[in-house]
Amino acid sequence: MKASSSASLIIATRESALALWQAEHVRDRLQALYPDTRVTLLGMTTQGDQILDRPLAAIGGKGLFIKELEVAMEEGRADLAVHSLKDVPMDMPSGFALAAVAKREDPRDALVSSRYTALAQLPKGAVVGTSSLRREAQLRERYPHLVIEPLRGNVNTRLRKLDEGQYDAIILAAAGLIRLGFGARIAAFLDVEDSLPAVGQGALGLECRADRSDVIAALAPLIDSDTLLAVSAERAFSRALGGSCQTPLAAHAVRESNGGWWLRALLADREGREVMRGERRGEANSIPEAEALGLALADEFLTRGARRLLPT
């Protein structure tokens, strides 16, 4: 993008505290890159923010958090949108592109509780809140004595519900807590062996219209290559299995010390009665190679009978 005194960029964003932090973070980075460009935010309330009395899986999934932002871009009211990448559907809608993936924050899940510092400490009947079928399945598998209850709302609302005593503990993405300055509320980071993260968790996805080559060029410096390769492998795995909010599915890729990649994945039923795990190592120095790693692991899952765990 050739910045000029008359150039401007408008970022569409949800108005939750975390969404605003993410949009402001991207705004500040763009402003530093293009000091002559005016970068502003367009705050919006999405359908996903409005319906809080039902689980996401029951109302259409995380895509409800981004539809209104895409309409704003389609109508020319915004140039780009910033999302938590784990909220972005595996297949981008026609006419839109995932223009950049910014550097990932800690991708792990976090235990938040004022009384317990480990999941193993929670007694029989303790109530744990989570909004994720993925977390729910893994909790039920390892800790069948716990009571898992749905937890909706933004980060502040979820913490308030915990503090009011509605839950003994809640599980949230560590990245959101850290970004909002709530790192001290984390009682424990959950090892990925105990709670494999969601696809793209901790990463920021920057979306724009596919025909906006100027915006795509402007966002290119924000791309973190390792994060992009990791989430490309994760998203390819999920896409091949039709991953959605109705599917307890996880995938997490990391670069190893030898330069190769290690992709671990999980697919389960909601009750945690059947949990299929797998992993694959390989080279991935480009997006196609990273996606091939994810597809190969997905093929392995399908060969092992993964279709019986997928929604019909």
Side-chain angles (χ1 to χ4, degrees), residues 9-15 20 23 39-45 68-69 71-73 75-81:
L9 284 171
I10 301 173
I11 303 173
T13 176
R14 295 165 57 204
E15 294 183 305
L20 287 171
V39 187
T40 57
L41 305 185
L42 173 65
M44 305 180 69
T45 300
E68 285 86 348
L69 309 186
V71 170
M73 289 185 283
E75 295 177 347
R77 292 182 287 122
D79 300 295
L80 67 141

Side-chain angles (χ1 to χ4, degrees), residues 204-285:
L204 298 183
L206 280 58
E207 181 186 17
C208 70
R209 279 177 17 202
D211 62 357
R212 291 295 303 273
S213 58
D214 57 331
V215 177
I216 293 172
L219 298 179
L222 301 187
I223 297 172
D224 181 79
S225 58
D226 267 11
T227 302
L228 178 59
L229 291 174
V231 302
S232 294
E234 295 165 12
R235 286 172 65 83
F237 171 83
S238 179
R239 188 183 301 113
L241 292 178
S244 69
C245 275
Q246 288 76 35
T247 311
L249 179 150
H252 179 56
V254 293
R255 187 185 285 277
E256 299 191 278
S257 58
N258 64 2
W261 286 89
W262 180 20
L263 174 64
R264 283 172 283 184
L266 171 152
L267 184 67
D269 66 9
R270 182 170 182 171
E271 299 303 319
R273 289 184 297 259
E274 185 173 3
V275 180
M276 182 180 293
R277 289 182 170 85
E279 61 182 73
R280 198 171 188 93
R281 285 179 161 91
E283 295 297 319
N285 298 309

